[in-house]
Amino acid sequence: NQAVELLGTLLPSSPVSLLTFWTPPTTAQLTIETVPPLAAEGSDVFLVAHNVSENPLGYAWHRGERGDNTQLIASYRVDNDATTNGPAYSGRETLYPNGTLLIRNVTQRDTGSYTLLVTKNDLQTETQAGHLHVHPVLPSPVITSNNSNPREHEDTVVLTCGAETQNTSYMWWINSQSLPKSTRLELSEDKRTLTVVTVTRNDTGPYVCEARNPVSVSRSDPFTLDVLWQENSRALGVGAITGIVIGVLLVLTPLAVLGYFIFLHRYSGIPRCCSCPRLMLVLEEGHPILQFPAWISRTSPLPHRYSLSSSVPASPGIDLWQLP
């Protein structure tokens, strides 16, 4: 600014206004781009250097955020087109003449920072760090339950979706539909576990969970709850009920047989045939004859105003009247 002011005192006014608005060109800053930006385990990844200074003398890539020689992956000299591998070289890296670094078949261990040092033609160095994050390809999750045979209206079931992994989100479906709003369905903060409070027969499922990370999506096989409900409990009690019925029959059958023999012994003299003589019960004062198919002993009272017209001898020891 002082130089501009000094020139302003020496030059006419019009050129000074031009110098006041003039600014020196800026140099683009060195940057590192990860290609692809979302790296899946097993893929190949490029760390691309942008805005590299013209005519550099060489490049050097290091693991970490500092240019530590113990973490040198590889270096490249432009003048003799020579590449030198360092202590951090794994055999999967390739350094190109434009400063780009290729890492093949990346693993989660490759996650971290990488630093590029560019030696310029004035022997000055320019440094820039990039970051690589390798995501696992998720396998199909498996739903597990804390209770294989929950009882209806009694037990609470906790379902868990697969193994826990970083940077993974989870979703659930019941009967091929998203979770309904219910006070009995509770999701954990990371949505990896689903709690079904006091299960009912309508909570059998099937249940499906989905695991998702930035590079892959995977769903579980359907999982069905085996809920023990009332009909199952009744079915288990059929044997007991059958035993009770048989016991009652075993008690009542001898009693019935005993009662039958007592009856036969007491009334063994009573005729039991249709051809036995019959008695007619005649209403007094010449009313029509009324017939009754019954046996009445002499000591039994007759209906009011009725009398017997005839009788037959009863068995020895029993004096009976027979009425038709």
Side-chain angles (χ1 to χ4, degrees):
N1 293 335
Q2 292 179 352
V4 171
E5 293 177 358
L6 179 61
L7 289 174
T9 60
L10 299 176
L11 297 175
S13 58
S14 56
V16 172
S17 62
L18 294 176
L19 289 173
T20 303
F21 291 99
W22 176 84
T23 55
T26 58
T27 302
Q29 186 178 2
L30 176 66
T31 59
I32 305 298
E33 179 187 8
T34 303
V35 180
L38 300 176
E41 194 168 19
S43 63
D44 297 344
V45 178
F46 292 90
L47 298 177
V48 181
H50 293 289
N51 302 322
V52 178
S53 61
E54 293 183 1
N55 303 317
L57 300 179
Y59 310 95
W61 277 99
H62 300 76
R63 286 293 304 261
E65 296 182 352
R66 298 183 303 170
D68 188 349
N69 287 332
T70 61
Q71 295 297 317
L72 175 66
I73 298 173
S75 61
Y76 174 78
R77 287 187 58 174
V78 175
D79 58 352
N80 59 2
D81 191 25
T83 300
T84 303
N85 298 325
Y89 178 74
S90 69
R92 295 176 293 117
E93 296 87 359
T94 300
L95 178 55
Y96 292 96
N98 63 354
T100 294
L101 179 68
L102 166 65
I103 306 176
R104 293 180 297 275
N105 193 24
V106 293
T107 69
Q108 293 187 65
R109 292 183 178 181
D110 295 321
T111 296
S113 297
Y114 292 79
T115 300
L116 172 63
L117 271 65
V118 179
T119 303
K120 298 187 290 185
N121 54 14
D122 58 0
L123 300 181
Q124 298 296 316
T125 59
E126 189 175 10
T127 304
Q128 186 57 263
H131 188 79
L132 170 62
H133 192 105
V134 180
H135 300 274
V137 177
L138 297 175
S140 296
V142 177
I143 297 177
T144 57
S145 172
N146 69 328
N147 192 334
S148 57
N149 297 111
R151 293 166 295 180
E152 187 180 33
H153 304 308
E154 295 184 22
D155 294 335
T156 292
V157 177
V158 178
L159 302 178
T160 304
C161 182
E164 184 176 7
T165 56
Q166 294 182 347
N167 301 314
T168 303
S169 59
Y170 302 90
M171 295 184 66
W172 289 86
W173 286 267
I174 301 179
N175 298 318
S176 302
Q177 297 180 354
S178 57
L179 292 182
K181 292 183 179 180
S182 173
T183 56
R184 295 190 305 104
L185 297 177
E186 301 175 358
L187 281 173
S188 61
E189 186 175 354
D190 61 358
K191 298 184 180 181
R192 181 171 166 252
T193 59
L194 172 64
T195 301
V196 185
V197 180
T198 56
V199 294
T200 70
R201 68 192 69 183
N202 297 324
D203 296 325
T204 55
Y207 295 81
V208 172
C209 75
E210 178 185 278
R212 179 188 297 264
N213 71 4
V215 297
S216 62
V217 178
S218 186
R219 286 193 178 187
S220 70
D221 291 330
F223 179 86
T224 302
L225 282 176
D226 186 13
V227 179
L228 300 179
W229 35 299
Q230 270 187 332
E231 288 190 6
N232 293 353
S233 300
R234 291 175 182 173
L236 294 174
V238 168
I241 294 172
T242 303
I244 293 173
V245 171
I246 293 175
V248 171
L249 291 176
L250 290 176
V251 173
L252 293 181
T253 300
L255 293 177
V257 173
L258 179 61
Y260 176 73
F261 280 107
I262 292 173
F263 176 80
L264 290 180
H265 176 73
R266 183 173 180 181
Y267 300 105
S268 59
I270 301 176
R272 291 178 295 277
C273 63
C274 297
S275 62
C276 296
R278 296 185 177 183
L279 298 180
M280 292 182 294
L281 186 64
V282 182
L283 183 64
E284 296 178 0
E285 300 178 357
H287 284 75
I289 297 174
L290 299 177
Q291 298 182 358
F292 298 89
W295 290 88
I296 303 177
S297 70
R298 286 180 179 273
T299 58
S300 300
L302 293 174
H304 180 63
R305 300 178 65 189
Y306 283 83
S307 63
L308 293 172
S309 62
S310 62
S311 64
V312 295
S315 299
I318 302 177
D319 193 9
L320 298 174
W321 295 102
Q322 185 184 24
L323 299 180

